[in-house]
Amino acid sequence: MEKQKQKQERTGTTAGASSQPAQDGAVRLRIYAWWVGIAAVIFVLIFQAWQIRSLQAEKREIRQAAAEELARTRDELAKARLVAAAEAFASGIEPLMFLRNRGGEITDETIRQVVNNLGQKEGFSRVVVLDSAGMIVATTDTTLRLGSRYATYKGPGGSEAKNDEGKWEVQRPISSAGNLGSVVLVDR
């Protein structure tokens, strides 16, 4: 009997020993699958973070391009507004300059009053009326001296350019021949 008991113990231990590696392998397989799952989740999270960053960078680029386009459009509109105002003012002041040049009742003081009224109402940073030689007849800028030559005067033709402060400066002739002078408007 004892031999049989020992045989059963050996068989039991042998049977138990052979099932133990199978259980260890299953546990290892579950641990491996668990780590693979964690690695997959980490990979997905990293991939999503990369996608979010690339979308944010793309969004920044689009926002920057839109801001640049808006600034360019505003600049073009400011220039167009100033050109239209200069042309309208030049045609409006033409009769006054014609009468001034003919020695009529219109004096330089009358032109100055018209220029001051325009400068106050329209909100330009500078309004200047020049005679045909480019000398200042009237201005809203107190730093400019009446009777002196206007620094950026290029002749009787029209011009538009940005000044040193980055503001549009538009010059338009008062008459089509340019013999009555010019109007200069500077944007705010």
Side-chain angles (χ1 to χ4, degrees), residues 12-176:
T13 56
T14 310
S18 67
S19 70
Q20 185 67 28
Q23 286 177 349
D24 287 346
V27 168
R28 284 185 186 147
L29 184 62
R30 279 190 227 130
I31 291 173
Y32 176 73
W34 187 74
W35 281 108
V36 167
I38 289 174
V41 168
I42 290 172
F43 174 75
V44 167
L45 290 174
I46 290 172
F47 181 72
Q48 286 178 346
W50 174 77
Q51 281 184 325
I52 289 170
R53 282 185 160 255
S54 66
L55 289 174
Q56 286 174 340
E58 185 178 325
K59 185 178 175 182
R60 266 191 308 271
E61 290 172 4
I62 290 171
R63 192 179 310 136
Q64 183 179 5
E68 288 171 0
E69 179 67 21
L70 180 64
R72 188 183 61 76
T73 302
R74 282 184 179 165
D75 190 51
E76 288 176 6
L77 288 174
K79 177 184 169 185
R81 178 186 72 85
L82 203 61
V83 166
E87 289 173 354
F89 184 57
S91 66
I93 203 164
E94 183 176 1
L96 296 176
M97 289 297 285
F98 180 78
L99 292 173
R100 173 192 171 266
N101 287 350
R102 297 289 180 247
E105 295 179 13
I106 303 299
T107 63
D108 287 351
E109 185 57 39
T110 307
I111 304 293
R112 287 184 198 112
Q113 288 174 356
V114 171
V115 168
N116 284 333
N117 287 340
L118 176 72
Q120 291 171 358
K121 290 179 184 174
E122 296 300 324
F124 302 109
S125 66
R126 182 186 303 154
V127 178
V128 182
V129 175
L130 308 172
D131 64 10
S132 59
M135 302 301 198
I136 299 172
V137 174
T139 182
T140 58
D141 191 345
T142 57
T143 62
L144 297 175
R145 198 168 43 100
L146 297 176
S148 64
R149 184 161 174 83
Y150 191 68
T152 59
Y153 182 69
K154 297 178 178 98
S159 68
E160 10 349 270
K162 287 206 172 189
N163 63 13
D164 296 338
E165 298 169 2
K167 297 177 182 179
W168 282 107
E169 185 171 319
V170 175
Q171 176 184 320
R172 286 294 180 259
I174 291 175
S175 66
S176 58

